[in-house]
Amino acid sequence: MQDLDIQKLTSIVGQQNITQNPTDLLIYATDAAQIKGRALAVIWPKTTGEITQIIAYANKKDIQITPRGAGTSLTAGAVPQNSIILDLSKMDKITQETSDTITVEAGTILDDLNTHLRQKDKYFPVIPSSDTVATIGGMLATNAAGTRAIKYGKTSDWTEEIEIVTGKGDIIKTKDINEFASTEGILCIITKATLKTTSLPEQTSITTYEFSTAEELVEKVKQLKKDKSIAAIEYIGPFTSSMQDETPKYHLLIEYENNTGTHKTTEEIEKAWKQRKGLGTVLSAAGYPKIEDPKIPEKNIAAFLNWLKDQNIPNFGHIGYGIIHCRIKPDHDLNEFYRQVKNHNGQVSGEHGIGLTKKQYIPQTLKDELKKKKQKYDPKNILNRGKMI
Ligand SMILES: Cc1cc2nc3c(=O)[nH]c(=O)nc-3n(C[C@H](O)[C@H](O)[C@H](O)COP(=O)(O)OP(=O)(O)OC[C@H]3O[C@@H](n4cnc5c(N)ncnc54)[C@H](O)[C@@H]3O)c2cc1C
């Protein structure tokens, strides 16, 4: 790898949009996964044209690039490995709007987008819990989901068109979102997206249940999934509930987009969600800072939950969508965990992606598919080298 030609890069983006300040490099050396890498420089491009020039330079000099949105990756996807960080956060403009779509630059923060849309009684309904900072580019690159995935699916389901710059430097506009969603910045930089929007629900309400066994819980979830007015089916496991001073049972929370639920006032709804949303802090403080997100087929969920119970692994999650969030101690050996995910026919990740931390657990077929795409779009392997594959 050659030394960085900072003068050349500065001539592309301007002095105020590039840094090699040691403090900046230290901050950008990690993301929410808290694994440390090494950044050579941080660059904030402002246009697609600047990105193509940076990519041309990187190809010529064999310099690696790590794309970054807000750095909320829980799998070290945005951790640099002797690479330039390309931080998209200054590309955050709304460029076009119709009654049911909105086109934004990739660095747009979801919460800012929804604040804008709410003025028109509209919103973008795929909302990960990181929505106050997560960017549309990062959400597409990981194909983020969230608590309402049972009704609204993933980010790609609500994306009509994307503009990308491939690792070869080609600018492509495409409606084939699935070719690039979930590829975590290893094929292209997503620069723009046309997103579908929908009307805000007129009313929401919540019902909660408690169950003693995983089998009873899953049976109820199966019934509830038939009701199309339900937007979220979330559960908290018994061990996790006990850490919140709740009865050590399975707690189920159902959000309806009408007034079917028993909790109807804003205060009641906020109180019900508070217990679910405050879990991260409680579990980290209790010594379980790491989070896994396997997706398990409905028929195997009860068996998987019983295995987690035997192992004392606290869990909760988007059970209606099959995503079981498991909180793990720092020294926990994950090999047996992922053997169990495989034995229960589960996927390694339901929403957080693969990044660096899960790449040894993904199936060979997926690796082969990604390698083929890598050869097609980024043959010199300058984008997010070493991630996913
Ligand atoms: C507290 C917390 C809660 C979370 N909750 C959820 C949740 O409910 N659901 C969920 O799905 N995820 C969740 N996540 C994971 C993460 O927030 C999401 O995956 C989010 O979509 C990442 O957005 P970001 O802008 O932070 O991307 P980053 O973390 O910056 O990047 C994520 C990956 O995408 C790549 N990337 C970023 N921008 C681009 C781009 N423009 N072009 C190409 N590649 C790019 C990066 O290289 C990296 O591999 C959570 C994370 C945290 C810390």
Side-chain angles (χ1 to χ4, degrees):
M1 196 194 70
Q2 319 238 343
D3 284 338
L4 276 191
D5 182 349
I6 284 295
Q7 260 184 342
K8 167 76 185 159
L9 291 165
T10 305
S11 73
I12 299 171
V13 292
Q15 202 149 22
Q16 68 280 27
N17 293 311
I18 182 165
T19 180
Q20 282 190 307
N21 175 310
T23 311
D24 294 335
L25 298 188
L26 191 67
I27 290 164
Y28 277 88
T30 190
D31 62 14
Q34 294 181 28
I35 287 171
K36 211 168 161 198
R38 179 168 172 258
L40 303 179
V42 183
I43 300 183
W44 292 270
K46 297 175 303 315
T47 64
T48 302
E50 288 178 0
I51 292 175
T52 57
Q53 290 182 63
I54 295 162
I55 288 193
Y57 168 80
N59 269 294
K60 202 165 149 198
K61 301 285 184 184
D62 188 26
I63 304 285
Q64 298 178 55
I65 294 177
T66 300
R68 181 175 171 119
T72 63
S73 169
L74 291 164
T75 61
V79 169
Q81 296 189 294
N82 292 316
S83 48
I84 296 175
I85 290 272
L86 203 66
D87 179 336
L88 277 285
S89 61
K90 289 192 183 176
M91 290 180 64
D92 62 350
K93 285 168 211 62
I94 294 169
T95 59
Q96 211 180 341
E97 234 178 316
T98 69
S99 57
D100 52 8
T101 67
I102 187 158
T103 304
V104 296
E105 291 181 325
T108 303
I109 292 171
L110 175 59
D111 206 31
D112 293 346
L113 173 69
N114 274 336
T115 301
H116 171 84
L117 289 169
R118 252 179 243 122
Q119 294 164 9
K120 297 160 193 195
D121 288 333
K122 295 268 180 174
Y123 77 128
F124 183 75
V126 181
I127 307 184
S129 310
S130 52
D131 69 325
T132 51
V133 289
T135 63
I136 296 301
M139 286 174 60
L140 269 163
T142 55
N143 211 1
T147 45
R148 293 173 183 87
I150 183 175
K151 181 160 178 144
Y152 295 108
K154 296 194 137 202
T155 308
S156 59
D157 297 320
W158 286 81
T159 306
E160 204 168 85
E161 187 174 82
I162 48 174
E163 178 191 88
I164 59 164
V165 181
T166 68
K168 289 198 288 191
D170 299 326
I171 302 175
I172 299 177
K173 277 191 178 178
T174 177
K175 292 189 191 299
D176 187 1
I177 313 302
N178 289 329
E179 179 75 353
F180 300 101
S182 310
T183 61
E184 301 183 30
I186 69 166
L187 307 180
C188 66
I189 311 287
I190 299 161
T191 48
K192 230 184 243 182
T194 300
L195 307 168
K196 296 176 229 173
T197 59
T198 188
S199 300
L200 283 165
E202 277 173 24
Q203 194 178 352
T204 59
S205 59
I206 281 185
T207 297
T208 55
Y209 298 95
E210 281 183 20
F211 299 99
S212 299
T213 68
E215 287 75 13
E216 289 169 283
L217 170 81
V218 171
E219 194 47 46
K220 186 70 185 175
V221 170
K222 228 190 255 183
Q223 284 170 22
L224 289 165
K225 276 167 75 177
K226 294 179 192 145
D227 184 339
K228 298 296 167 214
S229 71
I230 290 176
I233 305 181
E234 297 283 306
Y235 86 104
I236 302 175
F239 184 31
T240 316
S241 299
S242 66
M243 287 185 212
Q244 290 186 306
D245 296 328
E246 294 287 336
T247 43
K249 289 190 172 187
Y250 289 99
H251 291 249
L252 193 61
L253 180 153
I254 317 301
E255 185 184 81
Y256 294 88
E257 287 190 341
N258 57 27
N259 67 357
T260 306
T262 47
H263 306 311
K264 300 183 202 290
T265 67
T266 311
E267 274 161 23
E268 284 175 321
I269 291 171
E270 274 174 10
K271 194 174 164 209
W273 270 117
K274 203 172 162 194
Q275 186 192 358
R276 165 66 182 84
K277 289 184 176 166
L279 280 174
T281 322
V282 171
L283 288 163
S284 291
Y288 300 87
K290 286 167 73 180
I291 183 164
E292 301 298 321
D293 65 322
K295 187 163 193 264
I296 307 291
E298 188 183 79
K299 65 179 190 319
N300 295 336
I301 290 179
F304 187 65
L305 293 181
N306 286 331
W307 179 78
L308 292 173
K309 193 174 177 193
D310 290 345
Q311 305 299 311
N312 281 333
I313 296 177
N315 55 85
F316 61 94
H318 321 308
I319 192 166
Y321 197 63
I323 295 176
I324 307 297
H325 283 313
C326 307
R327 293 297 288 242
I328 307 287
K329 288 185 170 171
D331 55 356
H332 193 103
D333 174 9
L334 283 175
N335 289 325
E336 178 56 19
F337 178 85
Y338 279 109
R339 223 183 340 267
Q340 290 297 331
V341 170
K342 196 175 169 194
N343 289 348
H344 290 84
N345 293 324
Q347 293 169 28
V348 169
S349 171
E351 56 179 6
H352 294 163
I354 306 300
L356 274 183
T357 58
K358 293 185 199 159
K359 67 177 183 174
Q360 74 260 46
Y361 305 114
I362 64 171
Q364 192 57 42
T365 45
L366 176 56
K367 277 190 190 161
D368 293 344
E369 194 188 313
L370 286 167
K371 277 182 192 163
K372 261 195 211 156
K373 285 189 178 182
K374 187 79 170 159
Q375 194 52 38
K376 184 172 174 189
Y377 296 111
D378 182 27
K380 289 202 171 166
N381 196 10
I382 60 154
L383 292 179
N384 242 353
R385 193 179 293 173
K387 306 285 169 61
M388 297 189 94
I389 46 177

